[in-house]
Amino acid sequence: MCGIVGYVGNKNAQDFLISGLKRLEYRGYDSAGIVTLDDAGEATLLRAKGKIVNLEEKLAENKREDKIGIGHTRWATHGEPSETNAHPHQAGDIYLVHNGIIENYKELKEHLTEHEFKSQTDSEVLAALVESFYGGGEYSLVDAVVQALKLVKGTYGIAVISRLNPHEIVVARSGSPLVIGVGHDETLIASDASALVGHTKQAIYLNDGEVALVTSHSVEIKTLNAEPVSAKVEEIETNLAAIQKGGYEHFLLKEIMEQPESLRETLRGRVNATEGTVRLGGPGLTEAQLRKIKHLVIVGCGTAYHAGLMAGYYIEQFTPEITIETVIASEYRYRNAYIPKDSVALIVSQSGETADTLACLREIKKQGVPTIGIVNAIGSTIAREVDGGTYVHVGPEISVASTKAFTSQMIAMVMFGLTIAQAKGVKPSVLRPYVQEIAKLPEVVKETLASVSAEVREVAAKYAEYDHAIYLGRDTAYPAAMEGALKLKEISYVDANAYAFGELKHGPLALVDDRFFEVALLPSGELYDKAVSNVQEVLARGGHILAITNVDRFDLPVENVVKITTELKIFAPVIMNLVMQLLAYYVTVAKGYNVDQPRNLAKSVTVE
Ligand code: AGP
């Protein structure tokens, strides 16, 4: 999720571009750049790795009075964070900034032989594609952009300028937001309205499939099929914080609610529901290497560890003769653990910078074990040091409590397990149900979030006064219960702990009294009746139970029930986790604590 800005008008373009990028820095930054044009079309291109402040240092020696320009702060998706990979990208006379993923960039690149590629990005391919139509003079800039976008598969929010006409900007969107600020003798472009606050209150929100030709005093919009679109000018929200949170009160709720989109990005181009197959390019293991795998070590901390535990349960369900060990990085790195031959290690980390996980990676590599990263932050240390990997592409996760990354990491690891099973010749009829449910996940997640949020908010109010909680689950719902407990613990400070249902009678049942409430995960299936018996053990001791279930005829005498869809059977615990994410959120809000920055914690634990 990158940030785009553009300016054309009667003021200093560099000033707006930099201030706009700073407003958009929350969208993720690992590099940034701006380009401005003077009246003769002379370009000043400045790019820098890291935070915007690094770009400002370059700007100090390159101040211009230019009145048009575009800028970009990058959350890398293709190509690691570097100055070369930073936007704007140049091709011939044009400069382009892009937010999104061009899925077919490799095929397009093969035909763009005229362009000398400098970066590893899909965005530079798009710039070269526009230039391939614009360079010959056959098409105007806006029509060259249209021709190029007609060939593109994927998502984009773009802004394009040309040295040949330093008075117009072309913008377009499909899947990535873009807003046009209408000012007095100036027009401003941004990925979201937060960059416009203080400059104008009038904004035009571009829609998917629309292209706009923008000057200091005009905005002409059309579709890719050249149908004119009348610009609808709206009043923008002036609350900066509210805009950056997408209108949500906290980043955590925004990140919980954006899981349909973040899951779609994780699955993009990797799942074929019709065939019942998955395809992961990143791990870089051949079919022969995948077939030989006998042992998986899955390494992570906190939520990443829970994602690994849960994925491990699923993988052993459909992959024959494979042993799976999911370990806590901070423990594993000091063990003298033997990793057998024909092993592969999955290194799981949202930030890609967690010190304990990184240390494990380095220890495991010393044993010559192939390491596969399951990482969100592109170009992060772990992502650079693993032998191969699958990026989860969920975009920046700002809230300390990890939510969308958990869901996507877990599914990404299941997909890796499916690639092993495919290579081992597991019958498609065994794998197809998993693939088909995975393909349905984004939509089911969307429907669930829409249907349970208000109910969970109401239920959460009843549990906000508790200081102790027990989370319970069996099988794949047990690691889900662990993740649910961590979520509540780390933001509401409730002493929440998870236990396998079957473990209750071995000790934890002694805890049950009025100080505690219990969250019982009860997915349908062959273990459901066993879990019901466990629930009755808790009820008999006066437990205050919140049940989360996909069983239609649920009639246990628990205090509260949140029903989830019955559409998914295999991945019902993934859907149950959404309820627990929302429960943690609303309990914390009810307690009045800092939802996004809980005490004592940090988003990326780069210390041991
Ligand atoms: C999860 O909500 C926590 N913020 C924390 O446990 C986190 O999952 C852990 O620190 C691992 O972080 P990573 O995924 O960036 O490696």
Side-chain angles (χ1 to χ4, degrees), residues 185-460:
D185 281 340
E186 60 181 11
T187 307
L188 309 100
I189 309 292
S191 298
D192 70 44
S194 61
L196 306 180
V197 171
H199 296 277
T200 177
K201 289 189 176 180
Q202 308 295 312
I204 299 165
Y205 290 85
L206 219 51
N207 296 307
D208 281 352
E210 292 179 354
V211 182
L213 176 58
V214 170
T215 67
S216 59
H217 53 280
S218 66
V219 177
E220 288 168 47
I221 305 174
K222 62 184 180 181
T223 67
L224 289 184
N225 303 322
E227 292 137 6
V229 174
S230 60
K232 186 176 161 229
V233 182
E234 302 177 40
E235 191 81 7
I236 62 170
E237 157 79 64
T238 54
N239 175 333
L240 200 48
I243 294 169
Q244 291 180 338
K245 290 167 188 154
Y248 292 104
E249 193 180 347
H250 302 101
F251 278 112
L252 182 57
L253 187 57
K254 173 175 175 281
E255 288 156 10
I256 291 170
M257 301 308 269
E258 65 188 9
Q259 287 180 97
E261 292 72 39
S262 55
L263 261 170
R264 279 193 196 95
E265 290 309 314
T266 306
L267 303 185
R268 190 180 293 284
R270 294 168 166 169
V271 177
N272 184 324
T274 317
E275 282 179 16
T277 57
V278 295
R279 182 173 55 85
L280 293 181
L285 296 174
T286 63
E287 290 283 299
Q289 287 172 312
L290 288 167
R291 209 168 12 258
K292 272 178 57 187
I293 295 173
K294 288 272 184 302
H295 185 73
L296 272 186
V297 179
I298 306 177
V299 182
C301 297
T303 286
Y305 167 65
H306 295 151
L309 273 178
M310 195 167 177
Y313 269 89
Y314 283 114
I315 295 170
E316 66 188 11
Q317 288 177 2
F318 53 70
T319 307
E321 304 104 40
I322 191 167
T323 54
I324 299 171
E325 183 184 17
T326 304
V327 296
I328 291 172
S330 58
E331 285 293 299
Y332 196 70
R333 62 179 292 192
Y334 299 111
R335 281 172 43 190
N336 184 27
Y338 169 68
I339 303 181
K341 210 165 68 65
D342 298 331
S343 292
V344 163
L346 295 186
I347 313 297
V348 196
S349 178
Q350 188 285 126
S351 62
E353 302 298 344
T354 300
D356 286 320
T357 311
L358 178 58
C360 264
L361 164 60
R362 291 169 174 166
E363 285 304 315
I364 289 170
K365 286 185 76 170
K366 283 179 193 164
Q367 296 190 46
V369 176
T371 53
I372 307 292
I374 304 291
V375 176
N376 187 35
I378 310 278
S380 54
T381 307
I382 290 173
R384 284 201 311 273
E385 296 195 12
V386 290
D387 299 310
T390 294
Y391 282 122
V392 292
H393 292 313
V394 300
E397 194 176 59
I398 310 291
S399 195
V400 165
S402 181
T403 49
K404 60 180 182 174
F406 169 81
T407 305
S408 284
Q409 285 168 330
M410 208 292 288
I411 293 298
M413 284 184 272
V414 172
M415 288 197 285
F416 178 69
L418 287 165
T419 60
I420 297 174
Q422 285 168 183
K424 284 176 178 285
V426 175
K427 282 192 293 183
S429 58
V430 169
L431 304 182
R432 185 186 306 277
Y434 288 86
V435 179
Q436 288 176 336
E437 282 209 9
I438 287 172
K440 285 180 188 167
L441 264 176
E443 202 47 43
V444 174
V445 165
K446 184 178 176 186
E447 288 159 6
T448 303
L449 290 170
S451 65
V452 305
S453 293
E455 181 185 358
V456 176
R457 179 176 195 154
E458 199 180 314
V459 161

Side-chain angles (χ1 to χ4, degrees), residues 542-565:
H544 302 281
I545 297 177
L546 164 61
I548 304 173
T549 184
N550 61 343
V551 168
D552 262 339
R553 292 177 336 289
F554 181 83
D555 54 8
L556 284 175
V558 296
E559 263 179 16
N560 292 289
V561 187
V562 174
K563 284 278 189 74
I564 61 163
T565 175

Side-chain angles (χ1 to χ4, degrees), residues 29 62 72 105 112 175 191 205 363 468 497 501 552 559 581:
Y29 55 83
N62 294 279
H72 183 272
Y105 78 100
L112 295 165
S191 298
Y205 290 85
E363 285 304 315
H468 302 276
N497 294 293
F501 260 125
D552 262 339
E559 263 179 16
Q581 290 174 347

Side-chain angles (χ1 to χ4, degrees), residues 19-26 194-199 240 244:
S19 67
L21 288 180
K22 283 182 172 178
R23 291 277 183 83
L24 298 177
E25 209 162 15
Y26 78 93
S194 61
L196 306 180
V197 171
H199 296 277
L240 200 48
Q244 291 180 338

